[in-house]
């Protein structure tokens, strides 16, 4: 029972490099989300996709792009990484209804030097 | 827009003692409220949620939280904690819209010791 799978688990980038974080869910959920977690700041929403074919900005979208490839997959791209993007990134999914809980992946720990 | 305040960044407690983790929220619309728990090197897991009805909600492992609309609070309590409850706890809020776009608090680290 995989749930939400994120790859990679760890990544180190140099400033200016690009990369894509992958996320896939097998629960047939409509909505998917990308959050970043920083010490003392909790989780902040980067982008979300309420349903296949739609994406919207969250609280901290600058420096990121997303693609909802299909109902299962939602990727996060850093075009030109900056040290301020050093963080732990979590993907989550849920049914469309706002009372439905989020199901989280185990995170990607990204360091930008 | 909503916001969530968790005033206590860390709460140390002895095993079998009671604990309360505080959460206050602000919103101009109706809300749903959640508590999530994060164990080391893992993602967050839902602990309990308030959607409507009884203001006291419970989890399967003995935690409970009470929705207090007048005080805009959703404090988490457990009458007797266990070592295995050591984790970070996040309070979260969303409006009763069409997507679970949660706003999280900054988290409270619960450290249970013998």
């Amino acid at each position: 029972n995989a749930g939400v799978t994120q790859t990679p688990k760890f990544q180190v980038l140099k400033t200016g490099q690009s990369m894509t974080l992958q996320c896939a869910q097998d629960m047939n959920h409509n909505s998917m989300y990308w959050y970043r977690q920083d010490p003392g700041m909790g989780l902040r929403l980067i982008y979300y996709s309420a349903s296949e074919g739609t994406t919207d900005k969250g609280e901290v979208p600058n420096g990121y792009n997303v693609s909802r490839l299909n109902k299962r997959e939602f990727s996060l791209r850093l075009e030109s990484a900056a040290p301020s993007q050093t963080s732990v990134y979590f993907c989550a999914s849920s049914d469309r209804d706002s009372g439905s809980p989020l199901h989280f992946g185990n995170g990607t720990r990204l360091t930008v030097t | 827009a909503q916001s969530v305040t968790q005033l206590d960044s860390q709460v140390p407690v002895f095993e079998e003692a009671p604990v309360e983790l505080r959460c206050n929220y602000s919103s101009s619309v109706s809300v749903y409220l959640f508590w999530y728990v994060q164990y080391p090197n893992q993602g967050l897991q839902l602990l309990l949620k308030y959607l409507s009805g009884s203001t006291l909600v419970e989890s399967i492992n003995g935690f409970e939280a009470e929705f207090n609309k007048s005080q805009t609070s959703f404090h988490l309590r457990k009458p007797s904690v266990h070592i295995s409850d050591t984790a970070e706890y996040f309070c979260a809020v969303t409006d009763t819209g069409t997507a679970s776009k949660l706003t999280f608090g900054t988290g409270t680290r619960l450290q249970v010791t013998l």
Side-chain angles (χ1 to χ4, degrees):
Chain A
N1 199 5
V4 178
T5 303
Q6 292 182 237
T7 56
K9 287 184 170 44
F10 302 94
Q11 184 71 49
V12 179
L13 292 178
K14 294 188 190 307
T15 297
Q17 288 185 318
S18 62
M19 80 160 294
T20 299
L21 281 65
Q22 308 285 355
C23 175
Q25 53 94 6
D26 62 4
M27 294 171 284
N28 201 36
H29 284 160
N30 290 301
S31 302
M32 297 186 74
Y33 312 81
W34 278 105
Y35 283 88
R36 59 178 288 173
Q37 182 179 24
D38 301 291
M41 302 192 75
L43 278 81
R44 293 178 292 168
L45 183 64
I46 305 171
Y47 271 94
Y48 68 103
S49 171
S51 61
E52 187 179 355
T54 68
T55 60
D56 286 287
K57 295 178 180 178
E59 182 184 353
V60 288
N62 292 344
Y64 305 96
N65 285 301
V66 290
S67 296
R68 183 75 184 266
L69 304 169
N70 48 56
K71 191 171 186 179
R72 290 186 65 247
E73 298 172 287
F74 189 39
S75 63
L76 178 72
R77 182 159 178 85
L78 287 69
E79 291 290 352
S80 179
S84 61
Q85 294 178 304
T86 293
S87 188
V88 181
Y89 291 86
F90 287 99
C91 177
S93 70
S94 74
D95 284 331
R96 189 193 301 269
D97 182 83
S98 62
S100 301
L102 268 61
H103 296 258
F104 285 84
N106 284 335
T108 295
R109 187 174 296 275
L110 175 66
T111 302
V112 183
T113 61
Chain B
Q2 303 91 25
S3 66
V4 177
T5 302
Q6 293 182 249
L7 287 173
D8 305 306
S9 60
Q10 294 188 65
V11 173
V13 63
F14 290 112
E15 192 174 38
E16 297 184 4
V19 71
E20 178 180 82
L21 307 183
R22 296 180 293 168
C23 171
N24 288 89
Y25 71 93
S26 69
S27 177
S28 58
V29 298
S30 297
V31 297
Y32 295 145
L33 292 156
F34 304 80
W35 276 99
Y36 283 82
V37 59
Q38 184 181 32
Y39 299 103
N41 300 314
Q42 294 185 26
L44 280 70
Q45 304 170 37
L46 179 69
L47 189 60
L48 47 76
K49 63 182 180 181
Y50 171 78
L51 302 182
S52 64
S54 172
T55 57
L56 184 66
V57 291
E58 299 177 352
S59 72
I60 58 172
N61 58 351
F63 283 93
E64 64 180 31
E66 185 159 20
F67 170 55
N68 188 319
K69 190 173 181 180
S70 63
Q71 298 188 6
T72 60
S73 67
F74 191 55
H75 302 330
L76 183 68
R77 302 183 183 95
K78 190 171 186 180
S80 176
V81 295
H82 190 267
I83 289 282
S84 60
D85 294 323
T86 294
E88 189 144 23
Y89 293 79
F90 292 91
C91 184
V93 63
T94 185
D95 66 33
T96 57
T98 58
S100 296
K101 204 171 68 167
L102 293 182
T103 299
F104 285 86
T106 53
T108 298
R109 170 83 178 154
L110 176 64
Q111 181 68 51
V112 182
T113 55
L114 294 172

